[in-house]
Amino acid sequence: AKINGKNRYEIYDARMSEQIREELDLKQSLHHALDNGEFILHYQPQVCGKTFEVIGYEALIRWNHPEFGLLSPYHFIRLAEETGMIIDIGEWVLQEACTQTKQWQMKDQRPGLKIAVNLSAQQFADALLPQKVFKALEDSGINSESLIIEITETMVLQDFDRSIDTLNQLRAEGIKVHLDDFGVGFSSLSYLNRLPVDAIKIDRSFINQINKDTTEVAIVNAIISMAKSLGLQVIAEGVEQQEHITYLKQKGCYEYQGYFFSKPVPAQCVSL
Ligand code: C2E
Ligand code: CA
Ligand code: CA
Ligand code: CA
């Protein structure tokens, strides 16, 4: 029994160190990923429910790791935050997304095409953020009205007054701000009322409950009517089925994003 116990301990220990080593490996290679051009953006359409036209795209980062292949943000965003590398990576995302959008706008004569970019908490807290955003607009040549910044409630609540100031700076230039993953956080009417944003995105965990007759449906209804009473636009993410669209339309939500229309795809696979 003693030997078994020891073996078990060793296996456990080996697994532990393997996990730590993998994370260290990933951390190491993350340092060079930007210089090596290993990041790539995929794009997912946001669709108008009235005309079924593509309004714009959300840019979603992937890491083309030389050893592990294409990694989703879940595998490296936290690491990038911890190491502070998210600041440079985020700046690259802004530049790349805006540059790509300019190409689409010119090539396809769609000057109004929008691009949504996700920010991380650290990026949002960076005092230089507004300047970096304005520079991406300038360098790419897209209009400020084409750019949507996606932030989350948790990011805003870390320093509410400062967040309002940052958002005002962005919106004063015509940039749109959308509140992502809405419903999973604190979602209080009183703070939402004070927050200078243009739209909220209902989290997909609520959308995929729509035809299941659960309490989440009541939350979807509440979010839509709350958004309406505050004069905010409302976007549904994670739209996967026709039933979702039928329901959302009936409730007055007319902007959708999800696998029903397209998964996120590389720029060259985007069909406008
Ligand atoms: P998010 O901003 O909420 O992005 C939506 C996520 O839902 C994406 O995952 C997208 O692929 C996925 N999705 C879209 N439609 C559907 C659907 O119909 N069904 C299902 N099951 N999933 C759907 P992805 O690309 O893996 O990104 C995960 C998260 O990583 C994002 O969540 C965002 O928080 C973060 N992220 C992505 N790109 C960036 C970036 O450039 N910078 C930062 N800071 N974070 C990013
Ligand atoms: Ca997002
Ligand atoms: Ca989201
Ligand atoms: Ca989400």
Side-chain angles (χ1 to χ4, degrees):
K2 217 178 173 190
I3 292 168
N4 270 344
K6 188 172 183 284
N7 280 346
R8 216 177 291 139
Y9 172 75
E10 275 176 351
I11 289 166
Y12 172 71
D13 196 39
R15 273 201 203 126
M16 271 263 291
S17 58
E18 197 186 327
Q19 215 177 49
I20 292 166
R21 198 158 37 77
E22 267 177 17
E23 189 151 319
L24 271 172
D25 277 359
L26 221 53
K27 221 176 216 177
Q28 281 295 324
S29 46
L30 194 57
H31 275 287
H32 310 288
L34 202 54
D35 290 338
N36 291 352
E38 288 166 9
F39 291 113
I40 171 176
L41 295 182
H42 282 190
Y43 297 89
Q44 188 179 36
Q46 299 183 333
V47 176
C48 170
K50 288 174 181 163
T51 62
F52 282 100
E53 269 182 337
V54 172
I55 299 161
Y57 294 90
E58 178 174 6
L60 295 154
I61 194 170
R62 275 94 183 91
W63 179 8
N64 205 346
H65 193 282
E67 202 180 323
F68 306 130
L70 203 64
L71 299 180
S72 91
Y74 294 113
H75 290 100
F76 62 89
I77 289 287
R78 184 181 54 83
L79 219 54
E81 288 257 10
E82 283 168 13
T83 54
M85 279 181 278
I86 194 71
I87 296 286
D88 287 344
I89 295 170
E91 211 176 329
W92 175 83
V93 171
L94 270 166
Q95 289 279 343
E96 176 71 17
C98 290
T99 305
Q100 178 60 62
T101 302
K102 182 67 184 179
Q103 281 181 27
W104 282 329
Q105 289 180 346
M106 293 192 306
K107 182 165 68 83
D108 305 286
Q109 318 246 303
R110 295 276 307 277
L113 197 74
K114 294 191 189 326
I115 185 75
V117 174
N118 294 284
L119 292 190
S120 78
Q122 268 199 60
Q123 260 183 300
F124 189 60
D126 178 7
L128 296 175
L129 175 80
Q131 282 96 304
K132 288 173 181 173
V133 172
F134 303 151
K135 187 170 186 301
L137 291 176
E138 245 178 68
D139 291 351
S140 65
I142 66 167
N143 292 323
S144 51
E145 286 78 12
S146 303
L147 181 62
I148 298 164
I149 294 294
E150 292 195 2
I151 56 166
T152 62
E153 295 168 89
T154 28
M155 286 162 58
V156 165
L157 293 172
Q158 279 176 10
D159 188 342
F160 197 69
D161 293 331
R162 199 162 176 280
S163 297
I164 289 181
D165 183 62
T166 305
L167 296 178
N168 282 336
Q169 284 186 59
L170 296 171
R171 292 181 79 234
E173 293 295 318
I175 295 159
K176 300 279 178 285
V177 178
H178 291 187
L179 203 52
D180 207 353
D181 301 343
F182 196 81
V184 294
F186 302 91
S187 312
S188 106
L189 227 155
S190 61
Y191 98 79
L192 192 61
N193 188 35
R194 289 174 52 211
L195 204 62
V197 297
D198 299 283
I200 55 182
K201 289 181 87 172
I202 309 175
D203 193 68
R204 75 163 189 263
S205 59
F206 300 106
I207 303 303
N208 65 32
Q209 296 297 316
I210 277 179
N211 40 5
K212 292 189 184 137
D213 196 27
T214 60
T215 48
E216 271 86 354
V217 183
I219 298 176
V220 170
N221 298 347
I223 292 174
I224 294 173
S225 62
M226 180 168 81
K228 280 188 170 175
S229 61
L230 293 173
L232 296 171
Q233 197 190 323
V234 53
I235 300 157
E237 70 173 19
V239 171
E240 293 184 356
Q241 301 166 17
Q242 177 60 55
E243 287 82 358
H244 298 163
I245 297 171
T246 308
Y247 185 85
L248 289 162
K249 225 178 214 173
Q250 176 205 320
K251 294 291 171 187
C253 170
Y254 294 105
E255 210 173 314
Y256 318 122
Q257 184 180 346
Y259 293 173
F260 181 80
F261 300 99
S262 169
K263 291 197 168 184
V265 293
Q268 66 269 21
C269 301
V270 163
S271 49
L272 291 178

